[in-house]
Amino acid sequence: MFTMRVLRIVDLSVPVGPGTVIYPGDPEPALTVHSTIERDGFNLLDVHLGSQTGTHVDAPFHFEESGARIDELDLTLFTGPGVVVDATGLGPRGVVTWDHIEPVADRIDPGTIVLLHTGWDEHYGTPAYFENPYLDADACRRLLELGVRTIGLDALNLDETPDEEHPGVGFPCHHLIADLGGVIIENLRGLGDIDFADPFVSVLPIRLEAADGAPVRAVAVELAP
């Protein structure tokens, strides 16, 4: 008989509410009371948010018109063994390169969920959060060549976040991953709390019909050997 014992679960998600950081121009989340026990006999919230609100995953359709929608994807893209890449110490708009990934490259196989730990989640809720580090396009290609189809980070955007002074270069990692039917996880937090080997990662999305992405409750699970 197969048995699995969970030792610990690390929550990698940001809370969703009025204070949730959003990508500039995205819908602002709002949670308003629709029903109350006193008035209606039960509590119920009216929830308004975007498909990319909070900790979320991008489906290929987010950047490719012919790409798969979130409810069409194989759920194995959202669960599997995780490898954490130490990319801490980067400054604003620092680049995560293959040099950061190489020390753990021998642990990366097809189906591995690669989590880029930049530590940028410490800036969540401040203007600095929009100056996030991002993944180098060549490093992204090399991960994809290893069979990786799910990449996440603890920041707003896997690519450089453009603004008036930084036009960006066209979201190359988003396109590379979408072209191969992969997914991106953004706005993770707490990757530094994964202090155990071989975490099992789950980022299962809400099943939004024909959507470009969806919020997730991201977790890393420590399993007994």
Side-chain angles (χ1 to χ4, degrees):
M1 177 185 295
F2 173 75
T3 59
M4 180 176 67
R5 187 160 63 94
V6 173
L7 299 180
R8 184 155 63 108
I9 299 177
V10 178
D11 192 350
L12 306 177
S13 311
V14 301
V16 175
T20 301
V21 175
I22 60 171
Y23 192 86
D26 279 6
E28 294 191 11
L31 309 179
T32 55
V33 174
H34 181 273
S35 303
T36 66
I37 291 176
E38 180 181 8
R39 186 185 66 211
D40 307 293
F42 55 89
N43 288 320
L44 181 69
L45 277 180
D46 183 334
V47 178
H48 174 82
L49 45 76
S51 57
Q52 307 278 321
T53 297
T55 305
H56 66 273
V57 289
D58 296 352
F61 180 64
H62 186 42
F63 269 81
E64 298 295 337
E65 192 64 40
S66 61
R69 320 283 179 113
I70 199 71
D71 56 337
E72 298 172 336
L73 292 170
D74 189 329
L75 293 181
T76 58
L77 286 167
F78 309 109
T79 59
V83 169
V84 179
V85 173
D86 184 359
T88 55
L90 293 171
R93 299 185 183 271
V95 182
V96 181
T97 68
W98 187 255
D99 287 342
H100 295 98
I101 299 167
E102 190 169 28
V104 295
D106 62 341
R107 296 166 45 205
I108 296 175
D109 298 303
T112 299
I113 296 178
V114 174
L115 304 175
L116 307 177
H117 176 211
T118 69
W120 211 250
D121 54 328
E122 71 178 33
H123 299 293
Y124 188 83
T126 75
Y129 193 64
F130 298 92
E131 302 288 324
N132 60 279
Y134 58 94
L135 180 61
D136 171 66
D138 182 65
C140 182
R141 289 188 189 93
R142 296 180 70 169
L143 284 172
L144 296 172
E145 289 169 359
L146 291 176
V148 173
R149 294 295 181 268
T150 307
I151 304 173
L153 85 168
D154 50 0
L156 182 72
N157 188 353
L158 191 65
D159 285 301
E160 184 176 15
T161 300
D163 62 19
E164 293 181 357
E165 298 180 4
H166 306 89
V169 290
F171 302 94
C173 292
H174 279 75
H175 285 288
L176 288 167
I177 295 168
D179 284 346
L180 292 179
V183 298
I184 294 169
I185 319 160
E186 292 167 326
N187 289 320
L188 291 163
R189 72 169 185 182
L191 294 180
D193 294 332
I194 306 175
D195 56 1
F196 48 90
D198 304 318
F200 180 83
V201 176
S202 173
V203 291
L204 290 167
I206 299 173
R207 194 174 181 178
L208 299 179
E209 290 186 2
D212 56 277
V216 305
R217 185 66 177 266
V219 298
V221 181
E222 181 181 12
L223 300 173

